[in-house]
Each structure stands twice: as structure tokens, then as C-alpha cells.
Amino acid sequence: MDYYSDDLTALISELSKLPGIGVKSAQRLAFHIVSLPQESAERLAGSITKARNSIRYCKCCQTLTDREICPICQSPARDPSTIMVVENSRDLAAYEKTGRYNGRYHVLHGAISPALGIGPADIRLKELMARLQTEDVKEVIIATNSSLEGETTAMYISKLIKPTGIKVSRIASGVPVGGDLEYIDEVTLLRALEGRVEL
Ligand code: ZN
């Protein structure tokens, strides 16, 4: 890739590190970016820096937010006695889009995977257990993906919570095996939520 200037090559190289972007797409994006009006290119660069600097984990549910406590945790309209546990903020967004879940969330930022060397300490489980001790929670709905990792995580969490006496449920398996929650339509998500079974 020495056909371009060093700066352009560096831009292509950075873009190709993004998920789902191969070298060809990275080249296309890079050429597009350098052809943008100066102002547009600066706005793009600025929004990346700004988002990266302001985004943090909600102190309560651990989702990505630009505030100390996210709007969902802060909302008095949400039922604090129900916590839905999801693998990432995209899954949270998928359930929010249904507009039918009124509880709060807890975002793990991953799932347990012995094959990949990801253990319980590598996801935000400690934070969930701490919440169960301080908040008045009546039900924990485990909505991890139905992949091997998601099921392993669900089982682990349920064993951890059971002794506390708090009700633990798992969303119904209307969700296809290995299915990523964010790609599943809202009707299926709602059916999975409504058909949840106690563990
Ligand atoms: Zn939150």
C-alpha cells in the first residue's frame, strides 16, 4: 500500500481496524473522507474524539452513557425492582426499542467463555451482585444471548443469585440459537420476554 501518501495510508490502516471494515472498504472510506470539505472532515474527527472522551459506564447499570447515571437508571418511571441482565448496550437498545419493558437493566459487557479465557471476573458481574445487596430487587431477568457463552453465563448468574432468594428468570428460547439479540425483531424479543421461565 505504498501507492498513496503516508497520511492516506495511515488513515486507511486505522479505518481497516474497525469491525466489519476490510481493506477495500477502508480505502473507499478514506478516499471519501479526504474528498470531504475541510469542515465536514473536522466535524467527523471531532465527533469521534468527543464521543470517546465523554462516554463512560453508568455507575449503576454499567451501560455506555455520557452521564454518571444513565437516563434509564435515573428515570422515576422505571421499575427498580426488576433488573434485566444483557450482554451489551446494543442488546439493551434492542429491548428499549420494543418500548414494552419498564424495569431497569444491567449490562455485563461480555459473556463467560472458557474457550476464549473470559471468566466471571472479566464481565461486570461483581457490580450486579453489589446492586442486589443495596437495591430492593424482586426479579432478575437473564437476557443473555442463546449462544453457548450466553447460556453458560445465564447458568452461572442464576446459581449465584439463587441463594439470595431473589427470583431469577431466563427469557424464553424463541430466540434462535446463536442469535444475536440486536438482530432479532421486536415481536420475537417481546415473546421471549413474556414467555420467560423461572430458573
Ligand atoms: Zn444506568
Side-chain angles (χ1 to χ4, degrees), residues 1 4 12 17 32 45 63 71 84 89 95 138 146-147 154 165 169 176:
M1 270 210 296
Y4 313 127
I12 293 168
K17 290 175 193 162
H32 175 75
T63 196
M84 186 194 286
S89 294
Y95 268 102
K138 298 204 167 48
S146 54
S147 59
S169 59

Side-chain angles (χ1 to χ4, degrees), residues 8-181:
L8 190 51
T9 303
L11 178 58
I12 293 168
S13 156
E14 287 308 317
L15 289 169
S16 66
K17 290 175 193 162
L18 299 173
I21 306 288
V23 174
K24 274 198 178 146
S25 303
Q27 285 177 355
R28 210 174 54 238
L29 288 171
F31 282 119
H32 175 75
I33 290 168
V34 294
S35 72
L36 288 173
Q38 183 81 18
E39 198 187 287
S40 306
E42 272 166 17
R43 203 162 42 230
L44 172 64
S47 65
I48 292 174
T49 311
K50 194 161 176 255
R52 182 60 191 88
N53 285 341
S54 66
I55 294 296
R56 53 180 121 169
Y57 298 110
C58 167
K59 261 194 162 172
C60 180
C61 73
Q62 308 295 320
T63 196
L64 296 172
T65 177
D66 54 5
R67 309 180 199 182
E68 195 170 335
I69 305 283
C70 78
I72 295 174
C73 288
Q74 228 163 22
S75 167
R78 308 296 293 235
D79 171 15
S81 73
T82 308
I83 292 181
M84 186 194 286
V85 179
V86 292
E87 289 184 23
N88 54 53
S89 294
R90 296 190 308 275
D91 292 345
L92 178 155
Y95 268 102
E96 277 304 283
K97 259 191 260 164
T98 69
R100 297 275 293 277
Y101 174 68
N102 196 40
R104 289 185 180 171
Y105 294 92
H106 189 85
V107 182
L108 295 171
H109 294 285
I112 297 170
S113 170
L116 294 174
I118 301 169
D122 300 314
I123 57 177
R124 298 194 174 226
L125 210 50
K126 218 177 46 245
E127 291 83 353
L128 173 65
M129 298 314 288
R131 286 180 71 184
L132 298 184
Q133 283 182 343
T134 54
E135 298 172 26
D136 189 16
V137 179
K138 298 204 167 48
E139 181 179 1
V140 175
I141 303 169
I142 306 177
T144 51
N145 293 342
S146 54
S147 59
L148 178 62
E149 292 80 14
E151 293 298 347
T152 307
T153 308
M155 225 129 69
Y156 187 90
I157 296 177
S158 114
K159 272 194 199 141
L160 216 56
I161 298 178
K162 266 282 166 71
T164 65
I166 296 169
K167 182 178 169 189
V168 188
S169 59
R170 174 87 174 108
I171 54 165
S173 50
V175 180
V177 172
D180 234 329
L181 279 188

